[in-house]
C-alpha cells in the first residue's frame, strides 16, 4: 500500500494513493481543521509556537537548557509530556480528528532526548511515583498518554517512531517502550528521510533494524520517505528498498513527485523494466 503525507487538503486523495495523511497540527504549531477523507495527524509534543508563547511549557535538562531550536540538535521546540493542561488540549484535538475520520496518527510523541525533563513538575512527579528508575517512569508517562489517545480513536492508531532501531535507544531517548506501546498502537510509522536517496544502504540497514526490533510484536510498521524534489528514479529505488521491509510506504510532502514515481513503477512493472538512479532515459 502507498500513501501520501501532506499539509494540503486537496492532495490527500489520488488515484495512486491508498491512504492520505493530513497534518492537523504540525511541529511549528500550525493548526488546521481535520478532514473526513484523511488520516489526520497530530504533532503531539513538538510545538514551536506554544513553546515561544510560554517557555514554562518547554522541557529543561539538569543544566537548565530548554528543548528549543536554540540547541543545535533540535529542529523545533518541544513541550513537556507531563504538562496536564497541554495533554488535555492534545487529547481534545485527537477527539476532533477521530470525529472526522476514525483513524488518527500521533507524531512527535515522547521526551525530546535522554537528559529531559528536569523541570520542577517532572522532579516532583518522579519522586511521587513508584519508580526508582527515571527511564522507567518516563516510559510510563509516554505510554499512559498514548493509551489515553488510543481510547479516543475508534479506528486505527498510527504512531511515528524516531528512526533509531538500536536496542534501547528509543526507550532512553524519548521514553518510547515499543513493547508496551504495541498494546495501544495498530501501526508504527518510521520516517527515513533523505533529500536525494543517492544511496540506499543506510535505508535498508535502518529498515532491517526495525524489522528485527518489532518482530516479536504483532504490530506492523510502515516506512515514510521524503519526496520533495527527489529525482524520480532515486525515489523509485528507495521505494523498492522500503517495500521489502515496511507494510506500506508513505511519501512526505510532495504528492506530485510521489505520483510520478508510482506511475513510473506501475509502467515498469507492466513492461518488465526497472529504473535505477543514473540509468539513461
Amino acid at each position: 500500500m502507498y500513501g501520501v503525507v501532506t499539509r494540503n487538503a486537496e492532495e490527500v486523495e489520488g488515484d495512486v494513493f491508498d491512504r492520505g495523511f493530513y497534518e492537523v497540527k504540525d511541529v511549528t504549531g500550525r493548526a488546521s481543521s481535520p478532514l473526513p477523507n484523511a488520516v489526520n495527524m497530530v504533532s503531539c509534543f513538538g510545538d514551536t509556537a506554544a513553546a515561544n508563547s510560554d517557555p514554562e511549557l518547554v522541557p529543561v535538562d539538569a543544566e537548565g537548557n530548554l528543548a528549543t531550536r536554540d540547541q543545535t540538535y533540535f529542529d523545533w521546540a518541544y513541550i513537556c509530556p507531563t504538562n496536564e493542561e497541554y495533554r488535555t488540549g492534545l487529547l481534545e484535538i485527537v477527539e476532533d480528528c477521530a470525529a472526522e475520520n476514525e483513524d488518527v496518527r500521533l507524531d512527535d510523541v515522547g521526551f525530546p532526548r535522554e537528559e529531559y525533563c528536569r523541570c520542577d513538575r517532572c522532579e516532583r512527579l518522579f519522586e511521587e511515583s513508584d519508580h526508582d528508575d527515571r527511564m522507567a517512569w518516563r516510559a510510563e508517562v509516554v505510554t499512559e498518554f498514548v493509551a489515553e489517545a488510543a481510547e479516543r480513536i475508534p479506528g486505527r492508531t498510527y504512531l511515528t517512531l524516531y528512526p533509531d532501531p538500536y536496542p534501547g535507544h528509543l526507550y532512553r531517548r524519548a521514553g518510547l517502550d515499543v513493547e508496551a506501546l504495541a498494546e495501544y498502537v495498530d501501526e508504527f510509522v518510521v520516517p527515513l528521510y533523505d533529500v536525494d536517496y543517492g544511496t540506499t544502504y543506510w535505508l535498508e540497514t535502518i529498515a532491517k533494524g526495525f524489522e528485527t526490533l518489532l518482530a516479536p510484536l504483532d504490530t506492523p510498521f510502515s516506512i515514510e520517505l521524503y519526496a520533495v524534489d527527489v529525482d524520480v528514479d532515486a525515489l523509485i529505488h528507495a521505494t523498492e528498498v522500503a517495500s521489502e521491509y515496511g507494510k506500506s510506504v508513505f511519501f512526505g510532502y510532495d504528492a506530485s513527485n510521489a505520483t510520478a514515481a508510482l506511475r513510473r513503477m506501475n509502467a515498469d512493472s507492466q513492461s518488465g523494466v526497472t529504473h535505477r538512479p543514473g540509468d539513461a532515459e
Side-chain angles (χ1 to χ4, degrees):
M1 186 180 84
Y2 298 108
V4 64
V5 180
T6 182
R7 301 182 181 98
N8 303 314
E10 64 274 12
E11 293 180 346
V12 298
E13 291 182 333
D15 57 350
V16 298
F17 301 123
D18 303 289
R19 181 148 298 187
F21 294 85
Y22 180 66
E23 282 196 339
V24 169
K25 175 183 174 295
D26 67 17
V27 293
T28 69
R30 182 194 63 86
S32 301
S33 298
L35 300 178
N37 58 336
V39 178
N40 294 293
M41 295 171 52
V42 180
S43 172
C44 294
F45 299 107
D47 193 328
T48 299
N52 288 341
S53 65
D54 186 1
E56 292 297 318
L57 295 172
V58 182
V60 61
D61 67 11
E63 304 300 321
N65 297 307
L66 296 174
T68 68
R69 296 183 66 185
D70 291 335
Q71 308 300 324
T72 57
Y73 38 76
F74 291 136
D75 293 323
W76 53 81
Y78 289 80
I79 305 300
C80 179
T82 65
N83 188 292
E84 281 298 329
E85 184 176 357
Y86 188 84
R87 281 169 62 128
T88 298
L90 284 178
L91 294 174
E92 290 174 355
I93 294 173
V94 170
E95 289 178 343
D96 291 342
C97 290
E100 292 296 327
N101 187 298
E102 65 177 9
D103 301 334
V104 178
R105 176 171 162 185
L106 306 175
D107 257 4
D108 303 295
V109 174
F111 289 86
R113 282 172 67 100
E114 184 173 347
E115 58 268 30
Y116 293 89
C117 174
R118 294 284 184 161
C119 70
D120 291 342
R121 181 181 54 256
C122 281
E123 296 291 84
R124 174 178 57 80
L125 291 173
F126 174 57
E127 289 299 323
E128 293 174 354
S129 75
D130 296 329
H131 292 284
D132 296 324
D133 181 351
R134 194 178 193 93
M135 293 297 168
W137 169 75
R138 295 194 328 153
E140 183 177 86
V141 168
V142 174
T143 301
E144 285 180 350
F145 169 76
V146 173
E148 290 177 10
E151 286 180 356
R152 293 160 170 80
I153 301 172
R156 197 165 185 81
T157 299
Y158 294 83
L159 178 69
T160 306
L161 295 177
Y162 188 83
D164 184 354
Y166 196 87
H169 277 198
L170 289 172
Y171 182 80
R172 291 193 296 272
R173 179 188 180 93
L176 296 174
D177 182 342
V178 292
E179 184 174 355
L181 291 169
E183 180 178 348
Y184 309 104
V185 174
D186 297 294
E187 187 170 332
F188 293 112
V189 180
V190 180
L192 297 179
Y193 276 23
D194 190 23
V195 296
D196 60 21
Y197 296 106
T199 61
T200 56
Y201 68 90
W202 61 271
L203 194 159
E204 182 175 15
T205 300
I206 297 174
K208 179 63 176 178
F210 274 101
E211 182 182 67
T212 301
L213 176 69
L214 301 175
L217 310 177
D218 292 329
T219 307
F221 77 100
S222 292
I223 294 173
E224 181 177 318
L225 302 176
Y226 188 62
V228 179
D229 295 330
V230 177
D231 176 79
V232 170
D233 287 342
L235 187 57
I236 288 172
H237 185 45
T239 302
E240 292 170 342
V241 174
S243 297
E244 290 296 314
Y245 297 94
K247 175 179 180 288
S248 302
V249 178
F250 308 137
F251 299 92
Y253 307 108
D254 193 334
S256 61
N257 207 33
T259 297
L262 291 176
R263 285 178 174 164
R264 176 86 66 82
M265 289 175 65
N266 183 56
D268 289 350
S269 67
Q270 294 178 13
S271 63
V273 175
T274 300
H275 286 266
R276 301 296 186 200
D279 286 352
E281 292 292 337

